[in-house]
Amino acid sequence: MAKQKYYVVWEGKVPGIYKTWAECQAVTNGYPQAKFKAYESEAEAQAALKRGWKASFAASSKAAAASSAGAAQRGSERARAAKGSKSSEQVVLDSISVDVGSKGNPGLVEYKGVDTRTGKVIFQHPPIAKGTNNLGEFLAIVHALAYLKQKGSSMTIYSDSVTAISWVRKKAVATNLPRDESTKEIWALVDRALAWLHNNSYSNPILKWDTKAWGEIKADYGRK
């Protein structure tokens, strides 16, 4: 069972504390410059609400910096994630956020891209019979890149998958998912996405969504 989270909304349609991501989305989607963040306990959420978003975001940034310094020797993945994310407290709202919805891993996979500012769905792919979360995230990022290139836009793209971001940059995937009849659909999509990356250039920043500081990514399916 997923651990209970408490979502503080400082600036939204109705500021307050919400116990589900769906409730948080309902009061932040479409609200200009919405400010919200997830906390692990109600006490933390209550304190953060009183403290205000500026002080709370600043505290999160300091804590994250301290944690990163102490854990640097435990691996390079966190460093790669830092390179793919903005250190700023503010989300780039003029952007596309992508995420995956899945049932099992491997299992049923679907993905979508939404307007980070409004939460409006820009594109979505119907469920794929069998795949992995990371492959779904990879496809979502490349879909966003192709969509924005068609529009002539250099808009930012957010993903909460460090692995998928690295695959896009390397133009290669590293997965244990076998190629067989059950995975034929997703591999066809992945091969097409890889071909697109090798035959196209782009200037769009691809950034790691900071879930701790900003709450769940706007494209989240709410299945945690």
Side-chain angles (χ1 to χ4, degrees), residues 71-162:
Q73 63 184 9
R74 293 199 289 265
S76 61
E77 185 172 353
R78 185 171 298 176
R80 289 196 297 271
K83 290 180 182 178
S85 65
K86 289 245 179 186
S87 59
S88 168
E89 296 174 1
Q90 295 295 314
V91 177
V92 179
L93 292 175
D94 291 327
S95 61
I96 290 180
S97 293
V98 301
D99 201 17
V100 167
S102 61
K103 294 181 180 178
N105 192 30
L108 197 72
V109 170
E110 58 186 316
Y111 68 78
K112 63 183 174 182
V114 308
D115 184 312
T116 305
R117 183 185 298 277
T118 66
K120 180 181 178 181
V121 176
I122 297 172
F123 61 79
Q124 57 186 344
H125 195 285
I128 302 163
K130 186 178 180 181
T132 67
N133 290 342
N134 284 330
L135 286 177
E137 290 274 4
F138 169 78
L139 290 173
I141 296 171
V142 179
H143 192 141
L145 286 170
Y147 171 85
L148 292 172
K149 187 176 182 69
Q150 187 178 42
K151 298 290 184 182
S153 171
S154 58
M155 185 179 284
T156 295
I157 298 169
Y158 280 112
S159 168
D160 59 12
S161 172
V162 173

XYZ file of all heavy atoms in Angstrom, residues 71-162:
681
model
N 25.877 12.230 0.316
C 25.690 10.950 -0.373
C 26.412 10.867 -1.708
O 26.234 9.912 -2.445
C 24.199 10.711 -0.589
N 27.236 11.844 -2.027
C 27.877 11.903 -3.347
C 28.675 10.643 -3.656
O 28.702 10.179 -4.791
C 28.795 13.118 -3.423
N 29.320 10.062 -2.667
C 30.171 8.906 -2.882
C 29.377 7.628 -3.106
O 29.938 6.596 -3.465
C 31.111 8.719 -1.683
C 30.386 8.442 -0.386
C 31.342 8.371 0.791
O 32.509 8.691 0.674
N 30.843 7.938 1.921
N 28.059 7.652 -2.908
C 27.257 6.440 -3.049
C 26.839 6.153 -4.478
O 26.157 5.196 -4.738
C 26.024 6.525 -2.141
C 26.366 6.490 -0.666
C 25.166 6.104 0.160
N 24.168 7.150 0.195
C 24.082 8.045 1.158
N 24.964 8.043 2.142
N 23.134 8.958 1.137
N 27.223 7.000 -5.416
C 26.913 6.676 -6.814
C 26.835 7.899 -7.682
O 26.715 9.015 -7.196
N 26.874 7.688 -8.955
C 26.855 8.796 -9.907
C 25.462 9.115 -10.415
O 25.260 10.124 -11.073
C 27.748 8.455 -11.105
O 27.273 7.300 -11.750
N 24.472 8.272 -10.132
C 23.128 8.509 -10.672
C 22.537 9.818 -10.165
O 21.906 10.558 -10.926
C 22.191 7.351 -10.306
C 20.818 7.511 -10.944
C 19.944 6.300 -10.749
O 20.437 5.282 -10.234
O 18.764 6.389 -11.097
N 22.759 10.112 -8.877
C 22.226 11.358 -8.337
C 22.872 12.563 -9.025
O 22.232 13.579 -9.278
C 22.453 11.415 -6.829
C 21.825 12.626 -6.170
C 21.889 12.533 -4.656
N 21.155 11.378 -4.187
C 21.114 11.009 -2.905
N 21.779 11.683 -1.996
N 20.427 9.955 -2.549
N 24.170 12.443 -9.318
C 24.853 13.537 -10.014
C 24.277 13.726 -11.403
O 24.087 14.842 -11.869
C 26.354 13.253 -10.098
N 23.962 12.601 -12.091
C 23.364 12.710 -13.416
C 21.993 13.344 -13.338
O 21.593 14.122 -14.199
C 23.271 11.323 -14.063
C 24.610 10.750 -14.470
C 24.425 9.584 -15.425
N 23.707 8.473 -14.808
C 24.291 7.507 -14.139
N 25.605 7.495 -13.990
N 23.573 6.530 -13.624
N 21.263 13.015 -12.279
C 19.937 13.613 -12.112
C 20.056 15.117 -11.893
O 19.254 15.903 -12.405
C 19.226 12.969 -10.919
N 21.088 15.530 -11.138
C 21.263 16.955 -10.866
C 21.560 17.722 -12.152
O 21.109 18.839 -12.341
C 22.402 17.165 -9.859
N 22.314 17.082 -13.060
C 22.616 17.734 -14.326
C 21.367 17.914 -15.163
O 21.269 18.833 -15.966
C 23.642 16.904 -15.112
C 25.026 16.910 -14.504
C 25.969 16.063 -15.338
C 27.359 16.022 -14.728
N 28.268 15.170 -15.513
N 20.394 17.012 -14.955
C 19.189 17.075 -15.759
C 18.079 17.867 -15.121
O 16.963 17.880 -15.597
N 18.342 18.542 -13.995
C 17.287 19.287 -13.325
C 17.707 20.712 -13.050
O 18.884 21.023 -12.985
C 16.931 18.595 -11.998
O 18.032 18.635 -11.120
N 16.755 21.578 -12.894
C 17.039 22.972 -12.573
C 17.232 23.115 -11.073
O 16.483 22.554 -10.290
C 15.860 23.841 -13.018
C 15.779 23.955 -14.533
C 16.013 25.366 -14.952
C 15.975 25.527 -16.455
N 16.330 26.862 -16.855
N 18.201 23.903 -10.670
C 18.417 24.136 -9.254
C 17.466 25.210 -8.743
O 17.316 25.399 -7.559
C 19.871 24.556 -9.002
O 20.173 25.732 -9.736
N 16.806 25.904 -9.660
C 15.876 26.966 -9.285
C 14.692 26.415 -8.514
O 14.289 25.281 -8.699
C 15.374 27.683 -10.546
O 14.280 28.512 -10.239
N 14.103 27.257 -7.653
C 12.923 26.850 -6.906
C 11.693 26.807 -7.798
O 10.708 26.170 -7.464
C 12.671 27.844 -5.759
C 13.772 27.865 -4.710
C 13.538 28.958 -3.680
O 12.522 29.668 -3.788
O 14.356 29.090 -2.774
N 11.725 27.493 -8.900
C 10.550 27.643 -9.744
C 10.506 26.620 -10.871
O 11.509 26.346 -11.513
C 10.519 29.050 -10.353
C 10.354 30.156 -9.326
C 9.012 30.084 -8.618
O 7.981 29.905 -9.236
N 9.035 30.223 -7.310
N 9.323 26.067 -11.097
C 9.100 25.194 -12.235
C 9.016 26.052 -13.493
O 8.475 27.157 -13.467
C 7.773 24.421 -12.063
C 7.486 23.555 -13.282
C 7.793 23.591 -10.800
N 9.563 25.574 -14.605
C 9.385 26.241 -15.893
C 7.986 25.864 -16.377
O 7.765 24.769 -16.896
C 10.441 25.797 -16.920
C 10.210 26.496 -18.255
C 11.843 26.078 -16.398
N 7.023 26.742 -16.169
C 5.631 26.408 -16.453
C 5.330 26.301 -17.939
O 4.425 25.565 -18.345
C 4.702 27.433 -15.793
C 4.676 27.385 -14.262
C 3.830 28.520 -13.707
C 4.154 26.045 -13.770
N 6.058 27.041 -18.760
C 5.877 26.921 -20.206
C 6.656 25.698 -20.673
O 7.758 25.799 -21.233
C 6.346 28.187 -20.917
C 5.436 29.367 -20.624
O 4.222 29.141 -20.461
O 5.934 30.494 -20.544
N 6.097 24.529 -20.421
C 6.786 23.273 -20.679
C 5.774 22.144 -20.852
O 4.579 22.314 -20.601
C 7.725 22.940 -19.506
O 6.985 22.803 -18.306
N 6.284 21.003 -21.276
C 5.486 19.779 -21.346
C 6.014 18.817 -20.289
O 7.224 18.599 -20.185
C 5.573 19.117 -22.737
C 4.846 19.958 -23.786
C 4.963 17.709 -22.695
C 4.876 19.374 -25.181
N 5.118 18.263 -19.496
C 5.486 17.236 -18.526
C 4.960 15.891 -19.015
O 3.815 15.802 -19.469
C 4.878 17.547 -17.155
O 5.457 18.703 -16.600
N 5.797 14.853 -18.936
C 5.379 13.530 -19.393
C 5.449 12.532 -18.240
O 6.215 12.703 -17.298
C 6.264 13.030 -20.563
C 6.201 13.998 -21.724
C 7.710 12.818 -20.125
N 4.611 11.504 -18.340
C 4.647 10.453 -17.327
C 4.001 9.191 -17.885
O 3.328 9.224 -18.923
C 3.943 10.882 -16.041
C 4.380 10.065 -14.835
O 5.437 9.410 -14.917
O 3.683 10.074 -13.817
N 4.209 8.101 -17.155
C 3.723 6.781 -17.556
C 2.703 6.270 -16.550
O 2.824 6.501 -15.350
C 4.911 5.793 -17.631
C 4.424 4.360 -17.717
C 5.774 6.103 -18.819
N 1.706 5.570 -17.066
C 0.782 4.834 -16.219
C 0.990 3.365 -16.539
O 1.091 2.983 -17.702
N 1.099 2.520 -15.516
C 1.376 1.110 -15.790
C 0.650 0.202 -14.811
O 0.234 0.621 -13.738
C 2.883 0.840 -15.717
O 3.378 1.132 -14.413
N 0.506 -1.041 -15.224
C -0.032 -2.105 -14.371
C 0.942 -3.262 -14.468
O 0.910 -4.046 -15.399
C -1.424 -2.519 -14.849
C -2.481 -1.438 -14.690
C -3.842 -1.928 -15.159
C -4.890 -0.829 -15.002
N -6.230 -1.278 -15.497
N 1.832 -3.332 -13.476
C 2.902 -4.320 -13.515
C 4.121 -3.745 -14.197
O 4.023 -2.804 -14.973
N 5.286 -4.317 -13.881
C 6.530 -3.857 -14.505
C 7.483 -5.046 -14.674
O 8.197 -5.385 -13.744
C 7.180 -2.764 -13.650
C 8.303 -2.048 -14.375
O 8.282 -1.930 -15.583
N 9.291 -1.586 -13.630
N 7.445 -5.729 -15.837
C 6.735 -5.336 -17.059
C 5.231 -5.593 -16.954
O 4.790 -6.404 -16.159
C 7.387 -6.195 -18.130
C 7.871 -7.405 -17.393
C 8.299 -6.914 -16.054
N 4.517 -4.854 -17.780
C 3.075 -4.979 -17.810
C 2.476 -3.963 -18.757
O 3.167 -3.409 -19.614
N 1.192 -3.697 -18.579
C 0.500 -2.724 -19.415
C 1.101 -1.344 -19.212
O 1.321 -0.919 -18.081
C -0.980 -2.703 -19.037
C -1.949 -2.069 -20.030
C -2.112 -2.970 -21.241
C -3.306 -1.857 -19.362
N 1.371 -0.634 -20.304
C 2.020 0.681 -20.237
C 1.274 1.681 -21.116
O 0.900 1.361 -22.246
C 3.491 0.595 -20.716
C 4.090 1.984 -20.875
C 4.323 -0.214 -19.746
N 1.048 2.862 -20.586
C 0.519 3.975 -21.378
C 1.256 5.239 -20.948
O 1.854 5.278 -19.878
C -0.992 4.136 -21.182
C -1.422 4.370 -19.745
C -2.935 4.369 -19.587
O -3.616 4.977 -20.427
O -3.418 3.757 -18.609
N 1.216 6.268 -21.774
C 1.897 7.499 -21.398
C 1.160 8.698 -21.960
O 0.330 8.571 -22.857
C 3.358 7.491 -21.870
C 3.557 7.545 -23.372
C 3.424 8.746 -24.086
C 3.902 6.407 -24.092
C 3.622 8.805 -25.454
C 4.092 6.453 -25.470
C 3.959 7.659 -26.147
O 4.149 7.719 -27.495
N 1.494 9.868 -21.394
C 0.889 11.110 -21.886
C 1.821 12.279 -21.634
O 2.746 12.208 -20.813
C -0.459 11.368 -21.213
C -0.398 11.585 -19.706
C -1.801 11.757 -19.129
C -1.762 11.828 -17.610
N -3.110 11.949 -17.016
N 1.538 13.371 -22.344
C 2.241 14.624 -22.145
C 1.209 15.703 -21.881
O 0.165 15.749 -22.548
N 1.462 16.547 -20.881
C 0.502 17.594 -20.530
C 1.184 18.949 -20.457
O 2.406 19.046 -20.301
C -0.190 17.300 -19.167
C -0.786 15.902 -19.132
C 0.782 17.489 -17.995
N 0.384 19.994 -20.573
C 0.854 21.364 -20.367
C 1.125 21.523 -18.877
O 0.220 21.363 -18.052
C -0.227 22.344 -20.834
C 0.212 23.792 -20.748
O 0.749 24.192 -19.698
O -0.011 24.542 -21.718
N 2.368 21.805 -18.518
C 2.730 21.899 -17.102
C 1.959 23.007 -16.394
O 1.615 22.884 -15.208
C 4.243 22.142 -16.944
O 4.960 21.119 -17.648
C 4.660 22.127 -15.484
N 1.674 24.086 -17.084
C 0.969 25.204 -16.465
C -0.494 24.863 -16.159
O -0.999 25.158 -15.088
C 1.022 26.432 -17.379
C 0.374 27.684 -16.774
C 0.358 28.826 -17.783
N 1.702 29.226 -18.174
C 2.458 30.071 -17.467
N 1.999 30.592 -16.341
N 3.661 30.408 -17.901
N -1.168 24.228 -17.107
C -2.615 24.024 -16.979
C -3.026 22.587 -16.681
O -4.142 22.333 -16.231
C -3.331 24.440 -18.275
O -2.949 23.557 -19.328
C -2.969 25.873 -18.649
N -2.128 21.632 -16.957
C -2.483 20.230 -16.792
C -3.250 19.665 -17.974
O -3.619 18.485 -17.986
N -3.483 20.478 -19.005
C -4.226 20.022 -20.183
C -3.415 18.970 -20.936
O -2.230 19.131 -21.175
C -4.515 21.201 -21.115
C -5.274 20.816 -22.371
C -5.498 22.042 -23.262
C -6.219 21.648 -24.559
N -6.427 22.820 -25.444
N -4.088 17.866 -21.302
C -3.422 16.794 -22.037
C -3.116 17.263 -23.457
O -4.003 17.707 -24.189
C -4.288 15.523 -22.077
C -3.618 14.455 -22.941
C -4.515 14.985 -20.666
N -1.852 17.161 -23.856
C -1.409 17.551 -25.192
C -1.386 16.337 -26.119
O -1.786 16.403 -27.270
C -0.025 18.210 -25.129
C -0.095 19.511 -24.306
C 0.519 18.492 -26.538
C 1.257 20.127 -24.040
N -0.894 15.215 -25.588
C -0.915 13.966 -26.351
C -0.963 12.809 -25.365
O -0.575 12.943 -24.203
C 0.312 13.844 -27.266
C 1.637 13.827 -26.540
C 2.113 12.680 -25.919
C 2.422 14.974 -26.485
C 3.336 12.677 -25.257
C 3.646 14.973 -25.835
C 4.103 13.822 -25.216
N -1.451 11.690 -25.821
C -1.436 10.487 -24.997
C -1.437 9.257 -25.891
O -1.985 9.279 -26.993
C -2.616 10.454 -24.028
C -3.987 10.542 -24.652
C -5.074 10.649 -23.593
O -4.843 10.374 -22.420
N -6.256 11.052 -23.996
N -0.770 8.216 -25.416
C -0.711 6.976 -26.176
C -1.564 5.938 -25.458
O -1.459 5.778 -24.248
C 0.725 6.476 -26.299
C 0.904 5.429 -27.351
N 0.490 4.123 -27.172
C 1.435 5.494 -28.610
C 0.758 3.432 -28.266
N 1.328 4.243 -29.158
N -2.405 5.224 -26.179
C -3.250 4.203 -25.545
C -2.401 3.082 -24.962
O -1.222 2.932 -25.309
C -4.129 3.716 -26.701
C -3.362 4.053 -27.935
C -2.636 5.332 -27.630
N -2.977 2.279 -24.081
C -2.224 1.206 -23.423
C -1.513 0.270 -24.400
O -2.073 -0.146 -25.417
C -3.305 0.463 -22.631
C -4.331 1.505 -22.343
C -4.367 2.358 -23.577
N -0.272 -0.028 -24.073
C 0.563 -0.969 -24.818
C 0.569 -2.269 -24.024
O 0.756 -2.254 -22.802
C 1.990 -0.423 -24.975
C 1.956 0.943 -25.695
C 2.884 -1.400 -25.717
C 3.234 1.737 -25.537
N 0.375 -3.391 -24.698
C 0.142 -4.666 -24.016
C 1.197 -5.024 -22.973
O 0.882 -5.442 -21.864
C 0.020 -5.790 -25.046
N 2.475 -4.850 -23.309
C 3.525 -5.233 -22.361
C 4.762 -4.380 -22.572
O 5.278 -4.280 -23.682
C 3.879 -6.715 -22.520
C 4.869 -7.240 -21.478
C 5.125 -8.717 -21.675
C 6.102 -9.274 -20.644
N 6.372 -10.714 -20.855
N 5.219 -3.769 -21.485
C 6.422 -2.947 -21.546
C 6.910 -2.663 -20.141
O 6.464 -3.286 -19.176
N 7.823 -1.695 -19.997
C 8.343 -1.301 -18.692
C 8.127 0.192 -18.478
O 7.931 0.943 -19.435
C 9.854 -1.597 -18.562
O 10.577 -0.747 -19.468
C 10.156 -3.060 -18.865
N 8.190 0.601 -17.231
C 8.027 2.022 -16.902
C 9.063 2.877 -17.626
O 8.731 3.927 -18.191
C 8.156 2.234 -15.391
C 6.991 1.670 -14.616
O 5.928 1.408 -15.173
N 7.189 1.464 -13.331
N 10.326 2.442 -17.597
C 11.383 3.249 -18.209
C 11.223 3.359 -19.719
O 11.462 4.421 -20.304
C 12.755 2.672 -17.862
C 13.178 2.984 -16.449
O 12.807 4.016 -15.894
N 13.955 2.101 -15.841
N 10.813 2.275 -20.369
C 10.588 2.343 -21.812
C 9.423 3.273 -22.130
O 9.452 4.028 -23.104
C 10.327 0.953 -22.388
C 11.547 0.033 -22.512
C 11.126 -1.340 -23.024
C 12.611 0.636 -23.428
N 8.392 3.225 -21.287
C 7.265 4.131 -21.475
C 7.674 5.583 -21.310
O 7.265 6.452 -22.088
N 8.505 5.870 -20.314
C 9.002 7.230 -20.097
C 9.856 7.682 -21.286
O 9.769 8.832 -21.725
C 9.829 7.300 -18.813
C 9.037 7.146 -17.529
C 8.466 8.460 -17.034
O 8.619 9.485 -17.728
O 7.863 8.455 -15.950
N 10.691 6.787 -21.774
C 11.532 7.081 -22.935
C 10.664 7.454 -24.137
O 10.908 8.475 -24.804
C 12.397 5.864 -23.251
C 13.128 5.929 -24.565
C 14.277 6.693 -24.705
C 12.651 5.231 -25.668
C 14.945 6.757 -25.926
C 13.313 5.297 -26.880
C 14.465 6.059 -27.019
N 9.643 6.654 -24.410
C 8.754 6.936 -25.537
C 8.039 8.267 -25.357
O 7.859 9.026 -26.320
C 7.720 5.811 -25.679
C 8.249 4.459 -26.158
C 7.147 3.410 -26.085
C 8.802 4.564 -27.568
N 7.640 8.576 -24.127
C 6.930 9.825 -23.862
C 7.817 11.039 -24.144
O 7.364 12.038 -24.725
C 6.444 9.853 -22.413
N 9.093 10.959 -23.744
C 10.012 12.079 -23.987
C 10.231 12.275 -25.486
O 10.177 13.409 -25.987
C 11.363 11.840 -23.275
C 11.180 11.798 -21.759
C 12.351 12.962 -23.640
C 12.430 11.351 -21.004
N 10.475 11.169 -26.203
C 10.714 11.291 -27.643
C 9.455 11.782 -28.350
O 9.534 12.590 -29.291
C 11.187 9.951 -28.237
C 11.398 10.088 -29.745
C 12.488 9.502 -27.579
N 8.286 11.323 -27.903
C 7.025 11.807 -28.472
C 6.931 13.317 -28.293
O 6.559 14.052 -29.226
C 5.843 11.114 -27.788
C 4.534 11.312 -28.474
N 3.581 10.314 -28.593
C 3.977 12.398 -29.075
C 2.520 10.781 -29.246
N 2.740 12.048 -29.529
N 7.290 13.802 -27.105
C 7.251 15.245 -26.833
C 8.240 15.991 -27.726
O 7.928 17.067 -28.259
C 7.563 15.510 -25.362
N 9.428 15.436 -27.905
C 10.433 16.065 -28.770
C 9.921 16.174 -30.214
O 10.060 17.221 -30.854
C 11.725 15.264 -28.753
C 12.589 15.373 -27.489
C 13.705 14.339 -27.524
C 13.161 16.781 -27.350
N 9.341 15.080 -30.721
C 8.833 15.080 -32.095
C 7.672 16.063 -32.246
O 7.578 16.782 -33.250
C 8.391 13.670 -32.479
N 6.808 16.104 -31.236
C 5.667 17.025 -31.266
C 6.149 18.474 -31.311
O 5.666 19.285 -32.118
C 4.798 16.780 -30.038
C 3.709 17.807 -29.837
C 2.476 17.689 -30.477
C 3.913 18.909 -29.000
C 1.477 18.639 -30.301
C 2.925 19.860 -28.818
C 1.711 19.720 -29.465
O 0.734 20.672 -29.290
N 7.109 18.805 -30.446
C 7.593 20.184 -30.374
C 8.404 20.570 -31.609
O 8.366 21.718 -32.044
C 8.422 20.371 -29.100
C 7.611 20.302 -27.795
C 8.536 20.297 -26.581
C 6.631 21.462 -27.704
N 9.135 19.612 -32.169
C 9.878 19.908 -33.396
C 8.904 20.238 -34.527
O 9.129 21.160 -35.318
C 10.749 18.721 -33.792
C 11.679 19.032 -34.973
C 12.600 17.874 -35.273
C 13.554 18.215 -36.411
N 14.546 19.245 -36.039
N 7.805 19.494 -34.578
C 6.790 19.757 -35.602
C 6.191 21.153 -35.436
O 5.853 21.819 -36.414
C 5.693 18.694 -35.516
C 4.662 18.759 -36.640
C 3.638 17.650 -36.533
O 3.159 17.328 -35.450
N 3.309 17.046 -37.657
N 6.095 21.593 -34.168
C 5.540 22.917 -33.874
C 6.583 24.021 -33.983
O 6.259 25.206 -33.860
C 4.952 22.930 -32.451
C 3.799 21.970 -32.225
C 2.558 22.416 -32.955
C 1.373 21.519 -32.647
N 0.159 21.923 -33.386
N 7.852 23.637 -34.168
C 8.921 24.628 -34.212
C 9.180 25.250 -32.858
O 9.569 26.415 -32.759
N 8.990 24.468 -31.796
C 9.103 24.986 -30.431
C 10.317 24.406 -29.715
O 10.631 23.219 -29.844
C 7.837 24.626 -29.632
O 7.997 24.929 -28.261
N 11.005 25.248 -28.935
C 12.131 24.806 -28.116
C 11.720 24.697 -26.649
O 12.539 24.819 -25.747
C 13.305 25.779 -28.254
O 12.905 27.095 -27.867
N 10.447 24.452 -26.405
C 9.890 24.360 -25.051
C 10.583 23.260 -24.236
O 11.035 22.249 -24.764
C 8.390 24.069 -25.155
C 7.646 24.052 -23.835
S 5.863 23.713 -24.065
C 5.310 25.302 -24.688
N 10.665 23.479 -22.945
C 11.256 22.515 -22.011
C 10.360 21.288 -21.861
O 9.140 21.376 -21.955
C 11.448 23.187 -20.640
O 12.415 24.239 -20.764
C 11.920 22.196 -19.579
N 11.009 20.144 -21.603
C 10.295 18.896 -21.326
C 10.722 18.397 -19.955
O 11.914 18.359 -19.637
C 10.623 17.820 -22.383
C 10.158 18.279 -23.776
C 9.974 16.481 -22.021
C 10.680 17.406 -24.899
N 9.738 18.013 -19.123
C 10.011 17.438 -17.805
C 9.660 15.953 -17.785
O 8.626 15.531 -18.304
C 9.177 18.119 -16.725
C 9.709 19.436 -16.241
C 9.031 20.621 -16.511
C 10.879 19.510 -15.481
C 9.500 21.843 -16.048
C 11.356 20.721 -15.023
C 10.657 21.884 -15.307
O 11.128 23.089 -14.848
N 10.522 15.155 -17.150
C 10.249 13.750 -16.873
C 10.776 13.457 -15.478
O 11.753 14.078 -15.039
C 10.958 12.846 -17.890
O 10.925 11.487 -17.477
N 10.137 12.523 -14.760
C 10.670 12.169 -13.436
C 11.531 10.905 -13.494
O 11.863 10.327 -12.454
C 9.545 12.028 -12.402
C 8.512 10.974 -12.766
O 8.760 10.187 -13.701
O 7.446 10.936 -12.117
N 11.912 10.484 -14.707
C 12.746 9.288 -14.866
C 14.165 9.660 -15.295
O 14.398 10.065 -16.429
C 12.130 8.344 -15.908
O 13.010 7.276 -16.206
N 15.114 9.512 -14.389
C 16.523 9.767 -14.708
C 16.992 8.802 -15.796
O 17.730 9.181 -16.711
C 17.397 9.604 -13.444
C 18.875 9.705 -13.797
C 17.034 10.643 -12.404
